[in-house]
Amino acid sequence: MRNVKISVLSGKGGTGKTTVAVNLAKVIDNSLYADCDVEEPNGYLFLIPDITKEIPVKIKIPEIDYSKCTLCGDCVKACRFGALAHIGKRILVFDHLCHSCGACFEMCPHNAIIEKDKIIGGIRIGKSGSVDFIEGKLNIGEAIGVPILKEIKKIINSYNDKIVVVDSSPGTSCSVINSIDNSDMCILVTEPTPYGFHDLKLAVELVRSMNLPMAVVINKSGDEDEIIEKYCKEQDIDVLMKIPFKKEIAKAYSKGKLLVDFDKEIKDKFKQLSGQVMELIKR
Amino acid sequence: MKQIVILSGKGGTGKTTVATTLSTVVKNKIMADCDVEAPNLDIVLQGEVIKKEDFYGKESAVIDSDECVQCGLCEELCRFDAISGFKVNPLYCEGCGLCMYKCPVGAIRMEYEKTGEVIVSKIKNGEKIVYALLYPGADGSGKLVTEVRKKAVELKGESSYMIIDGMPGVGCPVLASATGTDAALIVTEPTMSGFEDMKRVLSVVEKFKIPSFVCINKWDLNEEVTEKIQNYCRENNITVVGKIDFDEAVVESLKRLKNLSEYKESTAYNQIIDIWNKIENYLKKGDVCV
Ligand code: SF4
Ligand code: SF4
Ligand code: SF4
Ligand code: SF4
């Protein structure tokens, strides 16, 4: 059976994306939580999984075989990312700029380039109670998380019949595209402030451009929700849940607690959310 | 001119509140909003846009269907799965050019794609903010960050400071927003995730050999984690320049889209002033008294 994929995203970090994703994963039976925020995966802090497997993620970077290299410089010309330079009698590789595209490898007329592996991060797999857990983590200072996201996708596909909750990368860059594509539903988490509103609009634009279904969850909800609600109505987007703005919630979060474990009312809300999402997907 | 970058490891820690408050506290400066994915500074400072420039950040392959003989080589070679059915999907194309180099009939060309805008706006006191907008789905935020800073340097005039609102995260755009600055102010909050994020961003800043200062926002939300952060900073020789209370005035100011400096009596406002005084002292004399 095919997995169902629910992606949780926000125009920006810090709006409660992880909160929604981990709590949602927790209330769904048979769920798989996938932390695709590879720069700063935080889901593990809340789910505290038992890790059973760690897989390094590698990319290919070029290495020069000087027994063959004539220093013709074709590879330097071919690289559009400035990752190669011809200095003196050497071809230098700046591996943090390398996109692993293979152009230099393909263009070297003397077969003097060897592609070797470089580890850019890793994936951890485990279980937190009934929730299956996957997390990708990019090593600090590495530029491109996409290879890790692609690996995560492959692993997700090796599971059958799961409800996959994807904690997407923040922002609206190409990493987000790679974490949310093929989603059956995108949940956009926002805050009822002018900033939150601004970031939400960007996220909506992105999800629209990918032709994916979406719904909104308002975090830190209060008496200003109207700016979000009005917009969602105009855009015909459902607002599925509101998480109230309470100091206790912020406190529980700060301690790494799951909201559904400490507040009955919120647990019910998340259950309701999961029901609604599944309804919308079936439709 | 001294450049100070404000970082946070992650969004939502109050970085923008600190940045916008500094916009009224620090005199004679230019501001650069390097959070190119979701620029917020100008929203609250409500500047008047005085200049917009298109930003062509990325090359993308384009196949000329009249020339293409449908040999399929490009699709096979592209490592980013950006080509299918003899068409390039610009969302996935990295612009590496490999397909263009290899197409046997020269049917592929590279075109610069407009991926964003660099915008200059003027705020009430006459000072300028430079910020950018990266189109959703576009990549290359590192380059755009560099562009924003370049523009800000160009327009700095007689400014004594450049305040840079950095990119959240720890990736390459963060490096681009912190390179060559004189000090980094890291805004963190006392949550377990905030603490982890702070450690990661500190390890990035460390590479630049610039002094980093930490301020703990909403510190009273969790005194235990605050304590942990302080201990960690002490052990690693990083100065905690201040703690900011969980203050209703901040919530109010965010909601009403007002600058925190309009709440002159609020503790948070005065704590931020205090933080700035310490940083300025450091920048002028090379030491902080805490
Ligand atoms: S293209 Fe090949 S032979 Fe020429 S400089 Fe590069 S590695 Fe050496
Ligand atoms: S693989 Fe691509 S990006 Fe890396 S050095 Fe070669 S041409 Fe440049
Ligand atoms: S390599 Fe050139 S000719 Fe072959 S399919 Fe691609 S564009 Fe067409
Ligand atoms: S330029 Fe590179 S990434 Fe883009 S389609 Fe061609 S081979 Fe693929």
Side-chain angles (χ1 to χ4, degrees):
Chain A
M1 275 285 285
R2 194 179 82 85
N3 294 326
V4 171
K5 180 168 167 184
I6 304 168
S7 296
V8 183
L9 67 157
S10 61
K12 192 166 188 162
T15 51
K17 178 174 63 64
T18 297
T19 306
V20 171
V22 290
N23 285 287
L24 184 61
K26 200 75 192 181
V27 296
I28 297 176
D29 299 328
N30 198 28
S31 66
L32 163 67
Y33 169 84
D35 200 340
C36 289
D37 188 354
V38 297
E39 274 192 28
E40 276 140 342
N42 282 149
Y44 73 96
L45 291 167
F46 300 90
L47 290 170
I48 319 173
D50 289 321
I51 300 298
T52 49
K53 204 162 155 195
E54 296 196 38
I55 309 168
V57 176
K58 301 172 204 146
I59 60 165
K60 298 270 185 218
I61 58 162
E63 190 176 68
I64 313 298
D65 176 354
Y66 287 103
S67 69
K68 292 185 183 161
C69 174
T70 63
L71 298 175
C72 70
D74 281 4
C75 54
V76 179
K77 259 185 258 151
C79 179
R80 302 175 98 84
F81 305 107
L84 296 174
H86 181 176
I87 292 172
K89 289 207 152 95
R90 302 201 77 80
I91 302 292
L92 295 185
V93 181
F94 302 109
D95 56 5
H96 61 284
L97 295 176
C98 176
H99 287 226
S100 224
C101 67
C104 53
F105 173 78
E106 294 286 345
M107 295 308 283
C108 172
H110 304 285
N111 279 324
I113 293 183
I114 311 154
E115 292 197 282
K116 61 165 190 193
D117 287 336
K118 179 193 177 198
I119 295 178
I120 54 161
I123 292 174
R124 301 197 301 159
I125 300 175
K127 229 172 155 71
S128 160
S130 66
V131 181
D132 279 290
F133 176 92
I134 302 177
E135 162 198 281
K137 194 167 190 169
L138 188 66
N139 291 344
I140 288 171
E142 290 294 344
I144 328 155
V146 174
I148 299 185
L149 299 174
K150 289 200 168 147
E151 237 12 81
I152 295 180
K153 259 189 256 176
K154 278 191 213 150
I155 299 172
I156 291 177
N157 288 336
S158 72
Y159 286 78
N160 280 326
D161 203 14
K162 286 275 171 195
I163 296 177
V164 185
V165 178
V166 169
D167 195 344
S168 130
S169 321
T172 46
S173 70
C174 81
S175 295
V176 182
I177 292 183
N178 272 286
S179 35
I180 71 171
D181 59 359
N182 296 320
S183 295
D184 297 285
M185 177 58 71
C186 295
I187 298 181
L188 277 51
V189 183
T190 185
E191 287 175 3
T193 66
Y195 303 103
F197 180 43
H198 174 79
D199 301 338
L200 173 67
K201 283 191 283 192
L202 294 176
V204 167
E205 219 179 291
L206 176 76
V207 176
R208 277 251 150 91
S209 75
M210 296 177 68
N211 258 325
L212 297 171
M214 63 183 132
V216 161
V217 165
I218 303 179
N219 189 24
K220 299 190 184 163
S221 145
D223 43 13
E224 308 282 323
D225 291 355
E226 215 215 310
I227 52 167
I228 305 288
E229 284 173 327
K230 189 165 157 262
Y231 169 78
C232 288
K233 198 157 192 185
E234 279 163 19
Q235 299 285 323
D236 201 17
I237 302 169
D238 291 324
V239 176
L240 296 185
M241 181 174 74
K242 296 179 179 184
I243 303 174
F245 186 63
K246 279 198 225 156
K247 202 168 174 181
E248 302 86 76
I249 289 182
K251 273 194 172 155
Y253 175 86
S254 79
K255 290 189 184 125
K257 276 196 188 142
L258 283 169
L259 301 182
V260 294
D261 282 347
F262 103 114
D263 191 313
K264 170 84 175 60
E265 201 182 317
I266 287 191
K267 185 174 182 176
D268 290 342
K269 278 193 176 183
F270 270 101
K271 281 220 164 113
Q272 217 181 340
L273 173 68
S274 74
Q276 277 175 313
V277 169
M278 294 313 285
E279 261 319 296
L280 285 174
I281 290 176
K282 270 189 216 133
R283 225 185 269 165
Chain B
M1 184 183 67
K2 299 277 188 194
Q3 301 191 21
I4 303 99
V5 62
I6 310 176
L7 297 171
S8 69
K10 203 164 206 157
T13 57
K15 189 164 61 68
T16 302
T17 300
V18 173
T20 49
T21 308
L22 289 184
S23 77
T24 53
V25 172
V26 182
K27 300 283 173 269
N28 193 21
K29 62 178 179 307
I30 182 159
M31 304 205 60
D33 190 344
C34 287
D35 186 352
V36 297
E37 284 188 18
N40 280 158
L41 263 188
D42 196 57
I43 302 179
V44 74
L45 298 175
Q46 296 183 359
E48 174 202 344
V49 174
I50 52 174
K51 202 171 185 182
K52 259 190 190 179
E53 277 169 23
D54 292 342
F55 178 70
Y56 292 85
K58 193 193 96 184
E59 284 183 295
S60 201
V62 180
I63 296 178
D64 181 342
S65 55
D66 290 341
E67 301 283 324
C68 172
V69 295
Q70 311 210 331
C71 70
L73 181 66
C74 54
E75 179 168 347
E76 191 188 312
L77 284 174
C78 174
R79 295 195 178 179
F80 305 99
D81 302 327
I83 306 182
S84 72
F86 315 107
K87 278 215 165 63
V88 179
N89 180 344
L91 282 182
Y92 292 109
C93 175
E94 294 262 336
C96 70
L98 177 56
C99 54
M100 175 196 63
Y101 299 139
K102 287 289 189 175
C103 173
V105 295
I108 305 180
R109 61 178 191 280
M110 303 302 290
E111 269 182 8
Y112 267 102
E113 215 186 304
K114 194 168 140 189
T115 53
E117 285 164 16
V118 177
I119 302 159
V120 183
S121 87
K122 200 155 134 193
I123 52 178
K124 282 182 212 111
N125 66 6
E127 290 177 347
K128 294 186 185 102
I129 319 177
V130 183
Y131 62 102
L133 204 56
L134 185 69
Y135 294 150
D139 207 4
S141 37
K143 273 194 206 154
L144 190 48
V145 166
T146 307
E147 202 57 34
V148 168
R149 291 192 50 192
K150 228 163 74 192
K151 192 91 221 163
V153 169
E154 212 175 276
L155 296 172
K156 71 180 188 338
E158 303 289 305
S159 310
S160 349
Y161 298 105
M162 183 189 298
I163 311 269
I164 301 163
D165 195 358
M167 263 301 264
V170 290
C172 132
V174 181
L175 303 183
S177 45
T179 310
T181 54
D182 298 282
L185 172 62
I186 292 148
V187 184
T188 185
E189 48 179 17
T191 64
M192 285 320 284
S193 34
F195 186 24
E196 290 302 314
D197 298 339
M198 178 195 80
K199 284 194 236 170
R200 284 167 72 85
V201 78
L202 278 171
S203 70
V204 172
V205 177
E206 204 180 307
K207 297 193 177 147
F208 296 108
K209 311 260 175 281
I210 52 169
S212 12
F213 301 108
V214 163
C215 85
I216 310 172
N217 190 23
K218 307 182 206 158
W219 74 276
D220 45 348
L221 210 54
N222 190 327
E223 299 186 19
E224 206 183 307
V225 181
T226 293
E227 190 65 36
K228 276 192 193 152
I229 294 175
Q230 284 176 307
N231 288 339
Y232 178 88
C233 289
R234 203 172 302 127
E235 281 158 22
N236 290 280
N237 271 322
I238 292 152
T239 311
V240 177
V241 271
K243 296 191 282 187
I244 304 169
D245 286 6
F246 185 95
D247 189 338
E248 285 297 327
V250 174
V251 183
E252 275 301 304
S253 72
L254 287 174
K255 273 193 198 161
R256 315 237 170 276
L257 201 56
K258 285 199 168 144
N259 200 306
L260 187 60
S261 62
E262 291 183 32
Y263 302 78
K264 288 242 171 348
E265 305 301 315
S266 68
T267 34
Y269 175 65
N270 288 291
Q271 283 160 331
I272 295 174
I273 291 187
D274 204 42
I275 287 167
W276 173 251
N277 288 339
K278 283 176 187 158
I279 295 176
E280 186 170 41
N281 211 27
Y282 167 83
L283 291 170
K284 283 191 176 145
K285 299 197 195 109
D287 75 329
V288 245
C289 34
V290 185

